[in-house]
Each structure stands twice: as structure tokens, then as C-alpha cells.
Amino acid sequence: MGSLLLVAVSFYIFCAYVTLASSPWSKSDVEELLDSALSCTEGVFGNGSESWGQYSPYFPVDPYTAPPVGCEITQVNILQRHGARYPTKSKGKDMKAALEKIQSASSFSSDLSFIPDFEYTLGKDDLVPFGAQESFDAGEQAFLRYAYLITSDNLPFVRASSSQRVVDSATNWTAGFAAASNQTFAPVLSVIISENGNDTLDDASCPALSSSPLPGSETDVWITTYTPNITAALNAGAPGADLDADDTQYLINMCPFVSVGTGNRSEWCDLFDDLDAFSGYEYWGSLDKYYNTGYGQPLGPVNGVGYINELLARLTDTPVNDSTSTNSTLDTSPATFPLGRALYADFTHDNLMIAVYAAMGMFAQSAPLSKTERTEGTGAGGATTWVASKLVPFAARMVVERLSCAAGAVSTSAGEGAEGEYVRVLVNQAVQPLAFCGAGSDGVCSLDEFVESQAYARNGGDGQWQECFESS
């Protein structure tokens, strides 16, 4: 691919050094190892890094929970965001402009003393070394957790959307997977889907959405709501800078992007941690995702329909049935869309993952997110929340496990489940309740009922896909 970043490192998983024994590890040994590394992100970037919204480094929301006793995993589908990256070109330009503005101040208080000599050296758009490591680690984790599904004749099937940071994340994942297997199993990136056409791993296939200035007023209002005290403190400490709310927002961005870009916690983080900025900043991220491709955007969820229909095809071992964002040439060929594999890994962007969550019916809110006060915790029964840092941190992953369960192994909302095939969904290791398909306390529902619950996707978005191509 002619680009950055295949990470060559000793075998680390979330900062925990691993030596593979010659004898097989038990599943409990693997999970004990992986659980022991849950706090690695804080160890690298300090407290608060889990509040950086969609720019948070990956962290597991919960420890991994094995399926119910009597159930065996038969297939795994991973949808994963690219690892940590540099700012986009436009965001980087705005960050540099805000930096120049505050550096023009006549003097600086002690807590701002690092700013006059701070030099902006970040690149744009590309995966950073830390983000490559996140993806490598994820590949190692996938092998350790699901190795018993893999054979030389049944390797993971890997796809990526064509942005270079997504492609690099996929190849780092395959490298991590191979390293974890001591090079016994070396999956490859088999399909790169162009973002210039139909692409189920990107949200750009809907022109009416991609041409809109989203999410617009919702985040703008929130920025003016949460930043006044922060802006006042910065202006008091840097007289003459005359910062406004937008400048403050761009300067807060310095914390996550400089941190992941350099691999070390930035002094910007300490500054804004002292100014209590990250609670408001995190909610800005939640609003951004909710009103971009989430429930707050009428044409947001339909962008996830194509991927869900591909997922249903894999789970049921049947051809893809979709007329939205799928590439029919790719999805009708066994070489580019094989069925019958035990593990699939797809690499994408955060906005597409949000669209998939919403199209599937996860993280539904009882009321729209407010642009003037934090309300992302209003999920039904308080069981689900809409927090960007928990939904789509860098290297976020949604894992759909297909299970074969004995009679009575599963507790559904209708009682004990019969013998058969079941499904459960984990988002950053947190098992989702799946009430929409009759799951009980273990978050498991029958495969048939899961498929039935996805009527929105199976019906092509209930007519909303056509709206993507209507002129405004």
C-alpha cells in the first residue's frame, strides 16, 4: 500500500507482555490475561482519556463475558474502526489558527506557560503509530479469544474501506493476528472497497447526507453552552488573545490529537483537565455522532443498512439481499464475499459504525439528545446510553457472535431457549441487551428472531435510501 505503519514489536496486548507457551492456553487463561490489561490506556495517557469522545484511545467498556454455559461460538463478525489518527486537514487548520491566536497574547499565566513555545507538528488524516499499535493489539486479541475457530483452511476474511488509515488498520490487525499465532495463521486483507462508489464500510454512499453540513446547530449551541467559563479562564491567562467559543473547542482538540500523535500525554490535557473541560467536550462528541449518522439524523441510520444485510447473509449462510449501499459485484462473488467462514473482520470509520448501531436498533434513546444539557443517559430503562467515547473510540469494535446452544442454555424474554442457533452483540466488549429480539439477561437471542428484528435493514431502510438521492 506504500504507506505507514506495520508495527514490528514484541508481543504486547494492551501493555501486557505475552509469551505464548508451547501448550495451548485455556480460555480462562486468555481472558485473565486480557482483563489484566484493561487499564492500559490510563497508564499511557493518564486519567481522563476515556472522556475524549470519539478521539478517546480504545478502552474496553466491560471485561469480556463468555457466552452462557451450553453455548459454543460458531462464527464471529468484527466491525472495527481505524486506530488513532492525526486530525483531518480542515480540523488541523482550525486548530493551528486557534493556537496562533492564543500565542499572540501579550503575556501568559503560569498554567499557560508552555503555550508560547508550543510547536504544532501534527500530520493530517493518517494513522499514527499509536493507532497502528491499537490495531495490532486488536488482531492479537482476536486470535487469543477465538483461536479455536481458526484453521489453515478457514482463516479470517478481512475487508477495509479504502481510506489509507482504514487500510493500514486492517493490515496491522492481520499482522497482530499472525504474531499471536506465532505466524501459524497469517490472514490477509482480501478486499478494499472504494469510497468512490457503493461501500458498506463508509457513510459516503448517501449524497443527501454527505452534502449536508452536519450536525450543525446542535453542536454549535452546545459549544457556546459549555465553553464560556473555559474561554474566560484562557483569556484571563493570555491577555489580548480574545478567544471565542470555537477557538476554545479547537484548543481542547489539542489534548487528544497531540497525545495520540506523540504517544505521550500532552500538557494541553493537564490544562483542560484543570479547567474541567472534558465533561462538556465528551458530550460534544456524543451530540456530533447522534446528529450526524445516529438517531438524530433522518438519513443517518440508513447508511448502516448495507452492512447489516451483509451481516445477516453471513450469519445465515445465504446470499446478500440488499439494494442500498452494497457493491453487488463484490457481494455476489465467493472470492470477495465468501460465506461459511468462522471469522470476518471489517474495517471502517466511526460514522459508519454509528449508522450501523442505529440501523440495528442499539443504544436507542427515549428522547432526543439535548443541545443545552447532557442527556445521553436516557436509554430505555437506563440500560443503554449514548456516549461517543464508549461507542466509537479509536479502534472501536462491534463483535457479533453466532452461537450454537443446547436446550435450556439460554434465558430469553419468553423463557428457556430451545436448542439452536443464537446471536449476541458486544460493543467494546460490553454485551448489549438486545431487547428488540427477545434477549434475556444474558443478552442472547435466537438467530431467527435477530434476523426478524432487522426489518428496517431487510426492507432497505423503509424507503429512506431513495431519499439519499433526492435533490434538496
Side-chain angles (χ1 to χ4, degrees):
M1 290 295 127
S3 167
L4 187 83
L5 290 181
L6 274 179
V7 175
V9 293
S10 296
F11 188 9
Y12 285 84
I13 293 185
F14 299 108
C15 304
Y17 186 72
V18 178
T19 302
L20 285 179
S22 57
S23 59
W25 286 24
S26 70
K27 293 180 185 179
S28 60
D29 287 339
V30 170
E31 293 308 330
E32 183 178 353
L33 164 69
L34 296 175
D35 287 347
S36 71
L38 293 179
S39 61
C40 172
T41 299
E42 284 197 355
V44 174
F45 297 118
N47 293 335
S49 61
E50 295 177 1
S51 299
W52 297 349
Q54 59 268 41
Y55 307 134
S56 296
Y58 175 77
F59 66 96
V61 173
D62 286 332
Y64 179 80
T65 302
V69 175
C71 294
E72 291 294 329
I73 298 171
T74 60
Q75 186 187 88
V76 174
N77 291 271
I78 299 171
L79 180 65
Q80 181 163 322
R81 184 190 180 191
H82 59 75
R85 59 164 171 80
Y86 289 118
T88 59
K89 181 179 179 179
S90 60
K91 190 177 292 291
K93 182 179 179 180
D94 291 332
M95 290 165 60
K96 285 191 283 187
L99 175 63
E100 291 170 359
K101 196 170 179 181
I102 196 171
Q103 286 180 328
S104 70
S106 58
S107 62
F108 297 87
S109 59
S110 59
D111 56 334
L112 306 184
S113 60
F114 72 93
I115 292 179
D117 297 323
F118 180 83
E119 184 179 359
Y120 186 94
T121 60
L122 299 178
K124 57 181 183 294
D125 295 318
D126 289 334
L127 197 69
V128 300
F130 177 80
Q133 184 68 57
E134 288 181 303
S135 302
F136 188 94
D137 289 349
E140 291 179 326
Q141 183 191 62
F143 174 77
L144 286 174
R145 182 161 288 153
Y146 301 116
Y148 55 91
L149 294 174
I150 305 304
T151 68
S152 57
D153 296 326
N154 198 342
L155 294 176
F157 189 80
V158 184
R159 302 185 305 171
S161 196
S162 63
S163 288
Q164 195 62 55
R165 61 183 177 270
V166 181
V167 171
D168 289 336
S169 295
T171 53
N172 275 282
W173 187 95
T174 59
F177 195 97
S181 72
N182 284 333
Q183 305 303 321
T184 301
F185 303 111
V188 298
L189 173 57
S190 295
V191 176
I192 299 173
I193 308 176
S194 172
E195 294 182 1
N196 293 323
N198 273 14
D199 180 2
T200 56
L201 301 180
D202 188 37
D203 65 316
S205 300
C206 176
L209 173 70
S210 59
S211 64
S212 301
L214 300 170
S217 62
E218 287 77 12
T219 52
D220 290 343
V221 170
W222 178 248
I223 288 171
T224 62
T225 299
Y226 94 90
T227 59
N229 291 341
I230 306 166
T231 304
L234 293 175
N235 282 328
D242 294 328
L243 302 174
D244 59 25
D246 287 336
D247 296 322
T248 297
Q249 177 74 11
Y250 295 133
L251 291 174
I252 298 173
N253 283 335
M254 290 285 195
C255 165
F257 282 116
V258 173
S259 294
V260 300
T262 63
N264 295 290
R265 181 180 173 88
S266 167
E267 55 264 70
W268 292 99
C269 301
D270 295 329
L271 170 63
F272 288 113
D273 192 36
D274 290 342
L275 293 176
D276 195 25
F278 290 114
S279 175
Y281 183 77
E282 180 179 54
Y283 188 60
W284 162 81
S286 299
L287 282 172
D288 180 71
K289 297 305 155 195
Y290 185 83
Y291 287 102
N292 196 330
T293 54
Y295 290 107
Q297 166 51 245
L299 291 182
V302 76
N303 288 268
V305 163
Y307 176 81
I308 290 176
N309 284 327
E310 291 179 332
L311 172 67
L312 296 179
R314 291 168 173 173
L315 291 171
T316 59
D317 291 322
T318 58
V320 176
N321 183 5
D322 181 79
S323 58
T324 63
S325 61
T326 49
N327 181 315
S328 58
T329 301
L330 295 176
D331 281 7
T332 55
S333 168
T336 49
F337 196 87
L339 298 174
R341 295 293 183 96
L343 197 158
Y344 299 89
D346 293 309
F347 291 83
T348 184
H349 301 273
D350 53 344
N351 285 338
L352 188 279
M353 292 189 73
I354 289 292
V356 168
Y357 297 158
M360 189 178 290
M362 294 195 298
F363 306 105
Q365 300 291 292
S366 59
L369 266 63
S370 169
K371 57 189 176 185
T372 57
E373 61 178 330
R374 292 192 65 153
T375 57
E376 80 271 53
T378 57
T384 57
T385 58
W386 189 277
V387 182
S389 56
K390 294 182 178 181
L391 301 183
V392 285
F394 285 129
R397 59 215 65 162
M398 180 185 80
V399 178
V400 180
E401 296 174 342
R402 189 181 69 190
L403 312 173
S404 177
C405 298
V410 173
S411 174
T412 71
S413 60
E416 287 190 355
E419 179 181 359
E421 290 188 305
Y422 289 81
V423 170
R424 70 174 190 158
V425 180
L426 302 91
V427 174
N428 302 320
Q429 292 197 169
V431 177
Q432 299 308 302
L434 301 191
F436 54 74
C437 57
S441 59
D442 52 21
V444 177
C445 63
S446 75
L447 174 57
D448 287 344
E449 291 190 13
F450 180 79
V451 171
E452 190 68 21
S453 75
Q454 298 306 301
Y456 174 73
R458 291 186 294 107
N459 292 332
D462 292 338
Q464 289 183 314
W465 184 249
Q466 286 69 36
E467 297 177 29
C468 286
F469 304 92
E470 296 176 358
S471 58
S472 57

